[in-house]
Amino acid sequence: VVHCPLSHRYFGHRKFQCQRLRELGVNVSLGTDSLASNESLNMFAEMREFRRIEPGLRAEELLATVTVNPARALKKESVLGKIAPGAHADLIALPFAGALDSVYEEIVDYRKPIDWMMVDGQNA
């Protein structure tokens, strides 16, 4: 299931049943819909909105909804959603100077422009 929290809020839908879906073993991923129902197509904003409505989710779980969970949904876990030999080289880099135990929180809370990106192994 792909959930777009900001579009969901825009349309005033009833509460997304994340916990129930997870209990049933459903793979929940986040996406972004369109600028018709959203101010931007920013996945960080989608993660922050999802955390607001699902405060029990840890930042590490939120990050999985935009990395490993979509890879699993596409049956591409061996090449997407992770950093490993043989995986597709699509990456972003974020500045980080905090403690390792806060790295996932800092990623989810990131609000600045992305300064470095690699797409298909090439600097973008």
Side-chain angles (χ1 to χ4, degrees):
V1 171
V2 178
H3 178 54
C4 304
L6 290 168
S7 291
H8 194 88
R9 181 182 72 188
Y10 176 86
F11 287 110
H13 295 303
R14 66 181 182 185
K15 184 175 180 347
F16 179 69
Q17 298 298 307
C18 178
Q19 186 59 35
R20 179 72 175 132
L21 291 170
R22 289 173 50 142
E23 288 168 1
L24 292 170
V26 173
N27 180 19
V28 176
S29 300
L30 292 186
T32 185
D33 197 3
S34 81
L35 294 176
S37 60
N38 205 332
E39 293 177 13
S40 75
L41 303 177
N42 185 311
M43 289 306 298
F44 294 99
E46 296 287 353
M47 285 189 289
R48 287 190 299 273
E49 175 65 10
F50 199 41
R51 178 178 52 197
R52 187 187 70 75
I53 61 174
E54 294 291 341
L57 287 177
R58 297 182 339 263
E60 185 174 0
E61 294 172 303
L62 287 166
L63 194 56
T65 67
V66 299
T67 56
V68 295
N69 293 5
R72 186 178 321 120
L74 295 170
K75 298 189 184 322
K76 299 280 186 178
E77 307 95 316
S78 64
V79 294
L80 296 176
K82 64 181 180 178
I83 300 171
H88 288 259
D90 294 348
L91 305 167
I92 61 171
L94 307 176
F96 178 73
L100 281 181
D101 63 348
S102 68
V103 69
Y104 295 111
E105 280 294 331
E106 292 214 19
I107 292 169
V108 172
D109 286 333
Y110 193 75
R111 295 173 189 267
K112 296 179 182 173
I114 304 298
D115 290 331
W116 184 87
M117 185 181 320
M118 178 184 285
V119 177
D120 198 23
Q122 303 295 316
N123 287 344

